[in-house]
Amino acid sequence: MAKKLNKIVDRKQIPFKYRARRPKIVQWAARLFLRSFRWKVEGKIPSVQGNENLIIIAGPHTSNWDGVFGFAAILGLDAKISFFGKHSLFDQPILGRFLNYMGGIPVDKTNPGKGLTEMAIKNMQKLNGSLIAMSPEGTRAKTEKFKTGFLRIAKAVEGKIFLASFDFDKKRIFLDTFFDPSGDNELDLSYVKEYFTQFGAKRPENY
C-alpha cells in the first residue's frame, strides 16, 4: 500500500527535479507554521517529461497573507521556485535576504509590466527546467482584467501553465491541474478569472 502524503504538506507533492534540497529544519519549521494555523497543501504537481518549464499561476491574490502561506508552502514542499517581488523590498536587510533565499526576482513596480515578462523569460531560459510562480492579477487590489504575462512567458519558453489556489475558506493551498491555453488571450484570461472564483479569497472584495 502506498504511503499517504503528510496531512499538512509533503515534498512528494512536487516532482523530485524541482526540489530545492533545503535543510530539513527549514522544511519542518514551515510545516509547523502551517499546522499551527490549520492550513495544508492539497493536490500535487504531476511528474513531467524532460526539463519542462512550469509557470504556476496562483490566485485569487487579494492579501499579503497569500504570500505568508505561499512561502510556508514553498518551504514545506521544498520547492525550488522563482517569483517576482517589489524591488524596494529586496533592499531591506533581513527581508531582502529572505526573498533572495526563496528565489525572488526584484522588479520595479512603479513601471508596471516594463521588462517583467522579458525578465521571466530570460530567467527560465538559463535554467535547465524551472518553476516560476505568478499572480495573474498582478496586484492585490481589485482588477477587472488579468494580465497576459503568464501566457506570453509560457509561449516563449514552451512551458506548461499550472493552476494553484489560495483557499481561505478551507484553509488550504490547492495544487490543481495544468491549463492548456487556446491561443485566444481574451478567452483564456476570462476562463482563468472565472476558475479562481470557486476558491475563498482572504479579501473577496478585492477580487
Side-chain angles (χ1 to χ4, degrees), residues 69-83:
F69 291 115
F71 282 140
I74 289 171
L75 292 173
L77 290 166
D78 190 32
K80 180 175 61 178
I81 190 166
S82 298
F83 59 92

Side-chain angles (χ1 to χ4, degrees), residues 39 166-172 197-202 204:
W39 269 66
F166 301 104
D167 191 347
F168 282 81
D169 289 347
K170 296 183 178 180
K171 293 187 175 182
R172 64 174 180 164
T197 61
Q198 65 185 301
F199 304 104
K202 174 66 175 176

Side-chain angles (χ1 to χ4, degrees), residues 83-87 90 100 104-108 119:
F83 59 92
F84 297 113
K86 190 176 180 181
H87 72 290
F90 288 78
N100 279 311
I105 302 172
V107 294
D108 185 355
M119 186 182 298

Side-chain angles (χ1 to χ4, degrees), residues 148-169:
T148 60
F150 70 93
L151 294 170
R152 293 163 56 198
I153 292 169
K155 183 176 181 179
V157 302
E158 298 181 346
K160 292 184 176 181
I161 297 172
F162 191 85
L163 299 172
S165 64
F166 301 104
D167 191 347
F168 282 81
D169 289 347

Side-chain angles (χ1 to χ4, degrees), residues 57 136 145-152 154-155 161 163 179-196 207:
I57 54 172
K145 187 176 180 180
F146 281 8
K147 300 182 182 300
T148 60
F150 70 93
L151 294 170
R152 293 163 56 198
K155 183 176 181 179
I161 297 172
L163 299 172
F179 168 65
D180 187 18
S182 67
D184 182 331
N185 284 356
E186 293 299 322
L187 181 65
D188 292 336
L189 293 179
S190 177
Y191 173 86
V192 172
K193 186 174 178 64
E194 178 63 25
Y195 166 83
F196 285 125
Y207 189 70

Side-chain angles (χ1 to χ4, degrees), residues 38-49:
R38 297 184 180 179
W39 269 66
K40 57 188 174 181
V41 178
E42 293 185 349
K44 63 182 296 184
I45 297 177
S47 296
V48 295
Q49 298 295 322

